[in-house]
Amino acid sequence: MATAEPIIMPGYQGEAINGPYDDPDGDSDADSGVSDNWDSSVETAFERLSAAAPRGWRVELIEGEIYVTPPANGEHEEILAEVNHQVGRKASDDSLRNYGGIGLNVPGSSDTGHVEPDLVIAPKGSFDDQEEWHDPSGVLLVAEVTSKSTADRDRHMKIRGYARAGIPVYLLIDRDEAEVTVYSEPSGDEYTQNPKYKLGLAVPLPSPLGFELDTAEF
């Protein structure tokens, strides 16, 4: 795996941005005495990086820090394809749709965050606009499949944003730990329910999905 290196954007003179894969120390320091225009500087850098990123790369603003992620490998995509297949076959609500590549605005530690989950389940028409980043109020479930470069923020940082946004279910498929965690019942910046299941077992998804995900197919 490539070693994390600082991203340097031409003309950007704001705070340092870590990437392209991980925050080296895992610490977000939104209250460290940065100047009042820090949020706007990071937002500007985020917009520039988003515009400059190669096709297929994700640029996200999570808890005040910018992350750039390369395209996922085949195993990652096979798992997502299986989840998509099972949701389409088992969900009782015909109005639900599976979305990939949808950008969501979620509340961050100090300002709005911009995230692109691996999978979003929401009613048809939830994103029928011209915006790049969307209101998550209609989202029923977000899912993330961990990669070496994203696992830490999938397990920790993204949970807070999804909970603050009130997304009912966050499905975390952790390849390194060979387990699935189903986060539900958001309250503040956490989920009050987070049962874990070993990969290979049937994983019950709570309301509003209400069916079992067969992870043996992963």
Side-chain angles (χ1 to χ4, degrees), residues 105-172:
N105 289 319
V106 298
S109 57
S110 60
D111 206 342
T112 300
H114 306 301
V115 299
E116 187 181 318
D118 286 329
L119 172 67
V120 173
I121 298 177
K124 180 181 179 180
S126 295
F127 310 111
D128 187 17
D129 56 41
Q130 299 297 313
E131 301 298 322
E132 182 177 359
W133 301 99
H134 303 269
D135 178 357
S137 59
V139 173
L140 303 182
L141 177 147
V142 292
E144 301 282 5
V145 179
T146 63
S147 299
K148 294 292 186 182
S149 59
T150 67
D152 185 64
R153 52 188 180 272
D154 289 343
R155 294 173 187 145
H156 303 292
M157 300 174 72
K158 281 192 170 182
I159 294 173
R160 297 193 285 272
Y162 293 148
R164 293 186 194 114
I167 295 172
V169 181
Y170 171 34
L171 178 68
L172 176 61

Side-chain angles (χ1 to χ4, degrees), residues 8-89:
I8 301 175
M9 285 297 296
Y12 176 63
Q13 301 298 323
E15 298 294 318
I17 304 170
N18 293 315
Y21 305 112
D22 287 312
D23 172 17
D25 56 15
D27 295 326
S28 177
D29 200 5
D31 297 317
S32 59
V34 295
S35 63
D36 291 341
N37 68 350
W38 184 81
D39 283 335
S40 61
S41 296
V42 171
E43 185 75 29
T44 298
F46 170 79
E47 291 173 358
R48 292 180 180 176
L49 281 167
S50 295
R55 184 178 179 84
W57 290 55
R58 282 191 294 177
V59 183
E60 299 176 294
L61 177 58
I62 307 170
E63 299 293 280
E65 296 180 4
I66 298 171
Y67 296 90
V68 183
T69 308
N73 62 27
E75 181 185 66
H76 179 281
E77 295 304 293
E78 286 286 351
I79 291 173
L80 280 178
E82 180 60 31
V83 174
N84 276 305
H85 173 68
Q86 291 192 38
V87 170
R89 184 162 50 89

